[in-house]
Amino acid sequence: LERTLAWLLSALILYLPANLLPVISTRGVGGAQDSTILDGVLGFWRSGDWDLAALIFTASVMVPAAKFAGLGWLLWSVRAGRPRGARARGHLYRCLEIIGYWSMLDVVVVALSTALLQFADLGSAQPRPGIVFFCAVVVTTMLSARSFDPRLIWDAAGHA
């Protein structure tokens, strides 16, 4: 439990700079601009790409927040020895493992944007420190989920 909590707290700490620092810098005909994750979401939204904005918001903001809440709940429930809801917590754990990989979508978008703009004669793009922090958030939440032993859910429920 301590290892899982340590990874989770690390992810929470890294989440702030991941969202506050720019993840990409673009330079084109309209000038240069640094963008955070939310700047990118708003940019796609304003340009009419609502589906892409929603997808990036979900993968980059909602999924990490859901993982923080879910892992926090699992840690608390095991620590408190909650006897009820073990089956639901087991499903939650499996869902958290599955959705963790979707957070990498933002990293892929930055990588593709950077690559595509490098080939265009009209602009360029460079990754910025925020994307490193975001990658670290994804990795630490995945390590947190991986370090959690789901058998503890059943032990806490008295089904050992």
Side-chain angles (χ1 to χ4, degrees):
L1 291 179
E2 287 80 13
R3 183 178 299 130
T4 302
L5 180 61
W7 284 120
L8 183 59
L9 290 175
S10 298
L12 280 166
I13 292 167
L14 293 166
Y15 190 67
L16 288 173
N19 283 288
L20 296 175
L21 294 174
V23 293
I24 191 167
S25 177
T26 55
R27 180 181 314 270
V29 176
Q33 178 180 346
D34 283 351
S35 299
T36 64
I37 291 170
L38 290 178
D39 291 336
V41 169
L42 290 173
F44 284 121
W45 187 269
R46 287 182 190 130
S47 69
D49 293 320
W50 305 302
D51 49 354
L52 191 53
L55 182 64
I56 291 173
F57 181 77
T58 300
S60 302
V61 178
M62 299 298 291
V63 167
K67 285 191 81 171
F68 297 147
L71 284 167
W73 171 254
L74 288 175
L75 286 169
W76 178 81
S77 66
V78 166
R79 186 70 142 174
R82 302 229 351 144
R84 296 172 53 194
R87 182 180 308 271
R89 289 193 309 273
H91 290 300
L92 173 63
Y93 173 75
R94 284 188 288 285
C95 287
L96 290 174
E97 277 198 316
I98 292 169
I99 67 170
Y101 299 103
W102 283 98
S103 292
M104 286 302 284
L105 179 66
D106 197 55
V107 177
V108 172
V109 168
V110 169
L112 288 175
S113 298
T114 302
L116 289 174
L117 282 173
Q118 299 305 339
F119 288 115
D121 291 333
L122 299 175
S124 65
Q126 297 292 320
R128 290 291 179 237
I131 201 66
V132 174
F133 283 99
F134 190 80
C135 281
V137 169
V138 172
V139 170
T140 53
T141 57
M142 289 169 66
L143 289 170
S144 181
R146 289 287 182 151
S147 68
F148 182 79
D149 185 356
R151 294 176 296 184
L152 295 173
I153 295 169
W154 301 101
D155 291 348
H159 297 99

